Amino acid sequence: MIFLDAAATTPVRREVLDAMWPYLSGEFGNTSSHHSLGESAAAALADARASVAAALGCRPGEVVFTSGGTEADNLAVKGIALARQAADPCLDRVLVSAVEHPAVEESARYLAKYHGFTVDVVAVDRDGLVSPEAFAAALRPGTAVASIMYANNEVGTVQPVAELAALARDRGIPLHTDAVQAAGWQPLDVRGLGVDALSISGHKLGAPKGCGALYVRSRTPLEPLVHGGGQERGRRSGTSNVAGAVGLATALSLVQTRQPEEAERVTALRDAFIRAILSSVPGAELTGHPVHRLPSVASFCFPGTSGESVLLELERQGVVCSSGSACAAGSDEPSPVLTAMGVPAAVAQTAVRFSFDASVTREDLDTAARAVAAAVAGVRSLGTR
């Protein structure tokens, strides 16, 4: 099997498992317990926090461990908006892009439905990019928080986050970015990016599902969403997942150490794969920005097919990929990301996404490209009979 669905999840790295194992076995203490087992767990959690902070270029106290990217996005968007509104009731707007992950989109809808916020949506161009001009125009007075995805999980387009953050900062508006897909491929230095909050998720990096983190700049107001024992400095209560934090820290350290070299190598493989698909599949359309995109994502529409039918045929040939976001799997509706980019609904339903981790090889992608050409031709031929 050739696994080309890394944007959905990745296998757990052996180094990560080895780092986690002591905290799943002998060192099983609760960080809140005042005995040796608890103190050992607390020390491991502190070390993990410091490691994540080093990878993000921030202070350890600015890192909040969560259950993953979805919780981190919810905490950032809802937590900042609610805290700022509590201090100033005139702050009752939220700004998001038209191509956000559902975790951000639904958080904004929640604020509108239950807390009276107005949700402003900034459009994207045909490549999925948010222009700084459009973003600046959408930063209206009363905006409590803005959230713009660093890199899109369906088409791979990378946004000019640093430029957008500077525009938001000039207006005194906190900017959150969902960096779940960008982590491991793009720089995550939060000072360089200029963002006020940033979300990451372990299972996109070679850590297990169920662990993630949110960076929150010091002095950024944040209302907790989970109340209880006051863990994570009162920002996210619940018994600390020490093993998960250690796994996330280990995985993030590994990918960040190798990021420049791996990104360059995988980008070259991705570009060769894109050329092979476009030259061998008549009518194939690349989606997302041709240059400003993740090294790990190549996504296409194949007019005259059904994306799901192509997926089934590819899996029969040993190539596993997806038709878009794993969070929308099973939906009959066209991708909101593609329709926001101006792709007609009928064409959007022919989408197929190929996403890789750093273990991908040229042979894998050459084999996959041949399989795609055969699968699309086969599905099209069935449709003409």
Side-chain angles (χ1 to χ4, degrees):
M1 181 182 73
I2 299 174
F3 182 73
L4 300 181
D5 197 20
T9 197
T10 58
V12 179
R13 292 170 177 259
R14 181 69 205 198
E15 304 98 316
V16 171
L17 287 173
D18 289 343
M20 293 176 66
W21 179 245
Y23 307 100
L24 294 169
S25 52
E27 300 291 334
F28 58 86
N30 185 323
T31 59
S32 300
S33 297
H34 297 292
H35 49 59
S36 59
L37 276 175
E39 290 169 0
S40 177
L45 186 67
D47 288 346
R49 197 183 309 278
S51 178
V52 171
L56 300 181
C58 66
R59 292 190 285 271
E62 296 174 311
V63 174
V64 181
F65 285 115
T66 68
S67 63
T70 290
E71 185 190 344
D73 284 348
N74 274 257
L75 179 56
V77 176
K78 296 176 185 174
I80 294 173
L82 292 173
R84 297 196 77 215
Q85 186 190 56
D88 182 354
C90 293
L91 296 175
D92 60 357
R93 308 185 79 92
V94 177
L95 176 62
V96 299
S97 84
V99 294
E100 291 302 308
H101 188 277
V104 167
E105 180 185 0
E106 292 299 323
S107 291
R109 289 182 180 177
Y110 166 86
L111 290 169
K113 183 175 181 179
Y114 294 105
H115 295 278
F117 280 79
T118 297
V119 180
D120 297 314
V121 180
V122 60
V124 297
D125 64 17
R126 61 182 298 173
D127 294 323
L129 270 180
V130 173
S131 77
E133 295 76 17
F135 181 72
L139 289 170
R140 301 182 185 182
T143 301
V145 66
S147 186
I148 304 293
M149 180 181 266
Y150 195 166
N152 187 264
N153 55 311
E154 291 189 38
V155 300
T157 296
V158 176
Q159 303 293 348
V161 171
E163 190 172 357
L164 303 181
L167 292 169
R169 186 167 57 253
D170 287 345
R171 291 161 173 78
I173 299 171
L175 179 71
H176 161 255
T177 190
D178 177 338
V180 167
Q181 293 295 336
W185 301 109
Q186 299 293 316
L188 293 182
D189 176 14
V190 294
R191 305 302 183 204
L193 290 171
V195 297
D196 299 280
L198 178 147
S199 302
I200 58 173
S201 183
H203 76 104
K204 312 291 186 174
L205 302 170
K209 302 168 186 67
C211 57
L214 175 68
Y215 154 75
V216 185
R217 185 188 295 273
S218 293
R219 295 186 294 279
T220 300
L222 188 73
E223 176 67 23
L225 306 185
V226 180
H227 302 89
Q231 289 86 352
E232 297 297 312
R233 298 191 175 188
R235 297 167 297 186
R236 195 271 190 185
S237 292
T239 303
S240 299
N241 178 6
V242 178
V246 169
L248 173 65
T250 303
L252 184 60
S253 177
L254 288 170
V255 297
Q256 287 297 96
T257 299
R258 305 169 186 172
Q259 185 261 327
E261 296 80 10
E262 294 288 16
E264 182 178 1
R265 183 183 68 83
V266 176
T267 295
L269 295 178
R270 179 207 67 194
D271 289 345
F273 178 70
I274 290 173
R275 289 193 297 270
I277 297 297
L278 295 179
S279 64
S280 64
V281 182
E285 301 174 6
L286 180 69
T287 60
H289 199 282
V291 177
H292 302 301
R293 67 185 304 129
L294 290 173
S296 55
V297 175
S299 54
F300 304 89
C301 287
F302 299 115
T305 71
S306 155
E308 293 296 329
S309 296
V310 173
L311 290 180
L312 290 172
E313 179 58 24
L314 284 172
E315 186 167 6
R316 191 184 68 80
Q317 297 186 46
V319 177
V320 175
C321 51
S322 71
S323 57
S325 172
C327 296
S331 172
D332 293 330
E333 297 299 315
S335 160
V337 169
L338 294 178
T339 54
M341 292 164 54
V343 178
V347 176
Q349 288 181 315
T350 73
V352 178
R353 178 189 70 185
F354 304 90
S355 52
F356 340 118
D357 64 15
S359 68
V360 72
T361 66
R362 179 64 179 266
E363 292 72 24
D364 289 337
L365 295 182
D366 286 347
T367 300
R370 291 191 293 269
V372 170
V376 172
V379 171
R380 283 175 173 167
S381 69
L382 291 173
T384 59
R385 292 178 183 175

